[in-house]
Amino acid sequence: MTERAPVLSVRGLSVRFLMPGGRRVAAVTDAHFDVAAGECLALIGESGCGKSVLASALLGLLPGNAQTAGQALLGETDLLAAGERTLARTVRGRLIGLVPQSPAAHLTPVRTVRSQLQEAIAELTGVRGRAALRAAAGKAAERAAFPAGHLDHHPHELSGGLAQRAATALALVGDAPLLLADEPTTGLDRDLVDRTVDELRRHVDEKGAGQAGTGGGRALLMITHDLAAAERIADRVAVMYAGRIVELTDAAAFFGALGPRHPYSRGLLQALPDRAFTPIPGLPPELGDLPDGCAFAARCERATEACAVPPPLTGAVACHHPHREPGTRALAADPLAPETADRA
């Protein structure tokens, strides 16, 4: 396959929250991944594993008690090192379009959906004139399956699903090279889930010139609990557990007959109603009180004494006892180098 240039390249991204009394919460630890032009990477995992914190770090939206480390390159811009002025004027909306997890909190409560769309269109695309802005707002709404009859409603008049579609419409306005969708299907029925993710996929597949400094092309980082939505549009899947990416693999292999290699990843799939419908036993550890070794060991039937030592963090699978790859005879871990894992 032809190597595609990354739109986003993340290396060693870590986030720590400083709590009262000097306690530290390790929300994200040493994340490594790329999202290439024309690619959708689905980031999945249980609630509280750090997915949304990672997204907030990329956008510079972490609270004041957060400390970040590592690098997140979007073109030539290091998102972790960029100041608020750069993030506000150059990154948000223009280089990164955000579909937020809580759309009602991101919509201005005293303005109609139409006025918010028109403001975003004028700011990000340069369209001017009342008639032109009105027409552009209608097209933006249609793109996200937002009904035209609700454009003059305020956010409090919208259902959760309509608010989600309004937020999606706003995120797509700037045609940003990176679309960051944090639970974009929340509150939607199955038909609208399919339509929404198909539109996100179409945004990635469209051949655009891209923004200066990003290498051209578009990419999607989708954070989701909806594995059916991820299977529908993702090229690759990154699985997060207790703040760490424990597996990074091709979506076809992940959802196919071979299945994922990490025991936690397999557990997520087997918990689905159309699979074994078997929950993973136990609960994830607290991010402020992580064990010294593998964080999943207490819930894992494959755990041994070797799991008292942390598994490699930058391979295709971070596990001492992963499930076998095709053609292998042993269960020994065979982590890939970081640069290879990024292409896995």
Side-chain angles (χ1 to χ4, degrees):
M1 187 176 84
T2 302
E3 188 71 15
R4 294 176 290 183
V7 172
L8 175 69
S9 183
V10 172
R11 294 292 179 272
L13 192 160
S14 297
V15 180
R16 300 288 182 270
F17 292 112
L18 304 182
M19 309 302 289
R23 190 169 68 96
R24 295 193 176 196
V25 174
V28 180
T29 300
D30 201 22
H32 289 67
F33 62 89
D34 285 348
V35 191
E39 179 182 42
C40 170
L41 175 66
L43 181 61
I44 66 174
E46 291 169 289
S47 296
C49 70
K51 304 186 302 297
S52 293
V53 172
L54 188 153
S56 296
L58 297 177
L59 288 161
L61 297 177
L62 292 170
N65 66 331
Q67 292 182 335
T68 61
Q71 187 179 66
L73 289 177
L74 180 60
E76 299 176 355
T77 301
D78 185 350
L79 301 174
L80 302 185
E84 175 58 26
R85 182 183 180 91
T86 298
L87 291 167
R89 296 192 175 190
T90 305
V91 175
R92 300 182 194 129
R94 291 175 172 83
L95 295 181
I96 301 179
L98 172 66
V99 181
Q101 184 175 21
S102 302
H106 285 74
L107 297 172
T108 304
V110 296
R111 298 179 60 192
T112 65
V113 175
R114 186 191 304 277
S115 68
Q116 293 181 62
L117 279 172
Q118 289 182 169
E119 180 184 44
I121 290 164
E123 181 67 25
L124 298 176
T125 70
V127 172
R128 295 290 184 269
R130 184 175 180 178
L133 284 171
R134 187 177 181 87
K139 290 181 180 178
E142 182 180 3
R143 188 175 180 185
F146 186 89
H150 288 71
L151 277 170
D152 292 316
H153 289 188
H154 291 81
H156 73 272
E157 299 176 289
L158 305 178
S159 67
L162 284 176
Q164 186 69 60
R165 281 181 272 170
T168 301
L170 284 165
L172 294 174
V173 163
D175 284 328
L178 176 65
L179 192 61
L180 202 167
D182 191 356
E183 300 291 352
T185 59
T186 299
L188 304 181
D189 60 36
R190 196 73 247 166
D191 287 343
L192 281 174
V193 166
D194 292 345
R195 180 166 178 175
T196 298
V197 297
D198 287 349
E199 183 55 56
L200 298 180
R201 179 79 242 186
R202 190 156 39 248
H203 173 82
V204 173
D205 291 339
E206 286 176 352
K207 293 183 179 179
Q211 297 279 355
T214 66
R218 297 170 182 160
L220 169 63
L221 175 59
M222 186 174 77
I223 295 168
T224 186
H225 290 96
D226 190 338
L227 296 188
E231 183 177 8
R232 186 177 181 90
I233 69 167
D235 297 293
R236 288 189 303 149
V237 175
V239 182
M240 202 167 199
Y241 185 78
R244 302 171 189 253
I245 292 178
V246 297
E247 185 163 8
L248 181 62
T249 189
D250 182 79
F254 186 92
F255 292 107
L258 297 176
R261 297 186 64 206
H262 197 284
Y264 173 66
S265 306
R266 292 213 168 198
L268 286 178
L269 280 183
Q270 292 306 308
L272 294 176
D274 60 347
R275 304 232 178 185
F277 206 24
T278 303
I280 302 173
L283 295 171
E286 293 289 336
L287 294 177
D289 188 26
L290 293 172
D292 293 332
C294 174
F296 187 61
R299 307 172 71 187
C300 181
E301 63 181 14
R302 301 169 74 88
T304 66
E305 293 180 358
C307 302
V309 177
L313 295 177
T314 55
V317 55
C319 180
H320 291 292
H321 308 295
H323 291 269
R324 286 182 291 180
E325 288 184 306
T328 59
R329 296 183 179 179
L331 292 176
D334 183 21
L336 303 179
E339 62 272 20
T340 306
D342 290 337
R343 299 192 296 268

